[in-house]
């Protein structure tokens, strides 16, 4: 196993790869950008989001399980409190920015866009404008944050992981069922929570079962093999079936979910291997740490339907970098700092009841690492 610092670095590197795929997919079609087949661009953007989902499921589950191991319980109020500072503050600042730009006439929204975005329900809003088009994935993430921790507390780790594993098998069938027998819901496949959260479930299962998987000699051999390069290649090759719904909903999605989870595991288990070292390089780590701000604000400039000079390549990419950097420094970082201070103050004012819970053990390096990464 690697050090906590290396873990965070490699995961941030994976985030950088994820946001890079999204940016590339959205840049395609903007004025001045080299021509790339739209189907390939759409798949790469979707793949970037799925990588985010797998990492999110892995990190959040690992964080919750580490807290349970160290303290003997999971404090949901603390979890949601942390998520509010980490996710909600930058998100609602972005929404305010869009509202101001709309008022000045720079952006045009569709009916219902603002209400769905505010409620984290954009993944159920079929006809939204481009400016809020990416908020569907943020809605899926928030719905996961609301559901999964509560599930772990109510049903326990073993049952919850069983539900997540079962969902990995059920989700492809559910997508095919909707495609054939509920055409009205077909447009939402890949956006609504029930049709896309299996990517998050893959990360959850990995976090909860990785030590048990590691006991298998075949599993260790697979991760250490020089032929492991075929796994990320298979993930990319899944794009071939992207235009064939039945295959994309089933075989393609399974290959992507399992393949990305295995890539995450290999990076964590073998930090000395070249891919892990590359992902841990400082430039990638910096981009990965800023990936949330980048993802939030890129949508306003990577608009292939816009005729504005700010949406033409390379100015659109320059604006993404500048605006995301400002948002990271002025919104995201101060919010995280405020979270740490507020959490420390709350712990002093409302300490955990030692008569209701076992005395907490010192945080393990893994717990500290996951908390920083999440």
């Amino acid at each position: 196993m690697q050090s906590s610092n290396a873990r965070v670095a490699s995961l941030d590197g994976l985030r950088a790869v994820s946001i890079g795929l999204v940016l590339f997919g959205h840049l395609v079609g903007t004025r001045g950008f080299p021509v790339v087949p739209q189907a390939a661009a759409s798949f790469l953007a979707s793949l970037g989001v799925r990588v985010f989902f797998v990492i999110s499921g892995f990190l959040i589950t690992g964080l919750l399980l580490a807290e349970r191991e160290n303290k003997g319980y999971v404090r949901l109020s603390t979890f949601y409190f942390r998520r509010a500072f980490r996710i909600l503050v930058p998100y609602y600042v972005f929404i305010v920015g869009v509202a101001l730009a709309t008022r000045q006439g720079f952006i045009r929204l569709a009916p219902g866009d603002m209400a769905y975005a505010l409620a984290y329900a954009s993944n159920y809003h079929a006809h939204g404008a481009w400016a809020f088009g990416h908020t569907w994935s943020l809605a899926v993430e928030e719905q996961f944050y609301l559901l999964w921790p509560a599930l772990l507390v109510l049903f326990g780790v073993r049952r919850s992981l069983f539900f997540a594993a079962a969902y990995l098998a059920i989700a492809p069938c559910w997508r095919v069922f909707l495609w054939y027998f509920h055409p009205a819901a077909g447009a939402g496949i890949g956006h609504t929570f029930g049709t896309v959260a299996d990517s998050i479930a893959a990360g959850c299962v990995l976090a909860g079962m990785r030590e048990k998987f590691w006991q298998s000699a075949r599993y260790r051999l697979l991760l250490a093999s020089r032929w492991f390069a075929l796994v990320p290649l298979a993930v990319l090759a899944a794009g071939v079936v992207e235009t064939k719904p039945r295959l994309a909903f089933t075989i393609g999605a399974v290959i992507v979910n399992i393949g990305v989870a295995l890539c995450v595991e290999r990076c964590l288990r073998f930090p000395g291997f070249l891919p892990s070292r590359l992902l841990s390089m400082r430039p990638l780590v910096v981009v990965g740490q800023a990936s949330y701000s980048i993802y939030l604000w890129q949508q306003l400039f990577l608009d292939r339907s816009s005729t504005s000079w700010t949406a033409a390549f390379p100015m659109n990419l320059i604006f993404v970098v500048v605006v995301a950097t400002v948002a990271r420094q002025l919104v995201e970082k101060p919010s995280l700092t405020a979270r740490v201070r507020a959490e420390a103050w709350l712990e002093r004012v409302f300490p955990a009841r030692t008569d209701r819970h076992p005395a907490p053990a010192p945080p393990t390096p893994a717990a500290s690492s996951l908390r920083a990464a999440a």
Side-chain angles (χ1 to χ4, degrees):
M1 293 291 288
Q2 63 186 18
S3 69
S4 59
N5 290 336
R7 280 186 193 173
V8 173
S10 61
L11 291 180
D12 283 333
L14 284 174
R15 282 181 171 136
V17 172
S18 303
I19 195 60
L21 292 172
V22 172
L23 292 179
F24 179 81
H26 287 179
L27 277 167
V28 171
T30 59
R31 287 183 297 117
F33 193 78
V35 176
V36 177
Q38 187 57 51
S42 298
F43 170 74
L44 291 176
S46 173
L47 176 60
V49 173
R50 294 188 205 181
V51 174
F52 272 124
F53 282 167
V54 173
I55 293 174
S56 180
F58 174 79
L59 283 174
I60 295 304
T61 303
L63 181 63
L64 292 168
L65 295 182
E67 181 179 5
R68 186 175 184 273
E69 178 183 353
N70 290 324
K71 297 184 178 181
Y73 63 94
V74 172
R75 200 174 185 181
L76 289 179
S77 59
T78 301
F79 172 82
Y80 293 128
F81 179 81
R82 292 171 182 160
R83 290 295 95 191
F85 280 90
R86 177 68 179 89
I87 301 297
L88 268 62
V89 172
Y91 177 72
Y92 283 117
V93 169
F94 166 76
I95 289 180
V96 170
V98 172
L100 293 175
T102 302
R103 186 177 181 85
Q104 296 299 319
F106 297 119
I107 295 175
R108 183 174 297 176
L109 297 180
D113 274 356
M114 187 61 70
Y116 276 91
L118 287 169
Y120 272 106
S122 297
N123 55 331
Y124 291 95
H125 184 39
H127 305 290
W130 175 259
F132 279 146
H134 63 323
T135 59
W136 74 267
S137 60
L138 304 176
V140 171
E141 289 271 8
E142 191 64 23
Q143 290 154 16
F144 161 68
Y145 295 148
L146 291 174
L147 175 65
W148 181 243
L151 198 67
L152 282 172
V153 170
L154 291 175
F155 293 97
V157 174
R158 181 176 297 182
R159 290 181 181 178
S160 298
L161 290 175
F162 173 81
F163 294 153
Y167 181 64
L168 284 173
I170 293 171
C173 302
W174 178 241
R175 286 189 286 264
V176 172
F177 173 82
L178 291 178
W179 180 259
Y180 280 107
F181 299 104
H182 196 354
I189 295 177
H191 290 82
T192 54
F193 185 84
T195 64
V196 76
D198 48 325
S199 294
I200 302 179
C204 297
V205 172
L206 174 63
M209 300 294 294
R210 60 193 300 255
E211 297 305 327
K212 186 172 183 179
F213 292 157
W214 188 247
Q215 296 174 9
S216 168
R218 291 183 179 180
Y219 182 75
R220 297 194 301 271
L221 184 63
L222 169 64
L223 292 178
S225 171
R226 63 180 179 177
W227 297 104
F228 187 87
L230 295 177
V231 173
L233 290 178
V235 170
L236 291 174
V240 174
V241 301
E242 188 69 9
T243 58
K244 302 175 181 179
R246 286 174 297 180
L247 294 177
F249 296 160
T250 53
I251 297 174
V254 170
I255 290 175
V256 169
N257 292 337
I258 295 178
V260 172
L262 287 174
C263 289
V264 170
E265 176 74 332
R266 178 176 162 105
C267 287
L268 299 180
R269 293 290 184 182
F270 300 101
F273 283 14
L274 181 60
S276 300
R277 297 203 309 270
L278 291 176
L279 288 172
S280 300
M281 293 174 60
R282 184 60 183 169
L284 281 179
V285 170
V286 171
V287 172
Q289 290 173 344
S291 59
Y292 183 44
S293 290
I294 296 172
Y295 187 74
L296 279 174
W297 293 93
Q298 53 81 30
Q299 196 82 0
L300 302 185
F301 305 102
L302 307 187
D303 184 355
R304 61 180 63 95
S305 66
S306 174
T307 58
S308 171
W309 65 276
T310 62
F313 182 80
M315 288 306 302
N316 51 7
L317 188 57
I318 293 174
F319 270 100
V320 169
V321 173
V322 172
V323 174
T325 300
V326 171
R328 166 80 173 161
Q329 297 298 323
L330 299 185
V331 179
E332 191 175 353
K333 281 188 174 181
S335 179
L336 294 175
T337 301
R339 182 189 76 176
V340 173
R341 293 176 178 174
E343 189 176 358
W345 179 81
L346 287 174
E347 287 291 343
R348 291 195 301 270
V349 177
F350 304 104
R353 289 280 302 277
T354 56
D355 59 332
R356 294 175 56 186
H357 304 294
T364 64
S368 301
S369 173
L370 289 171
R371 180 174 299 178

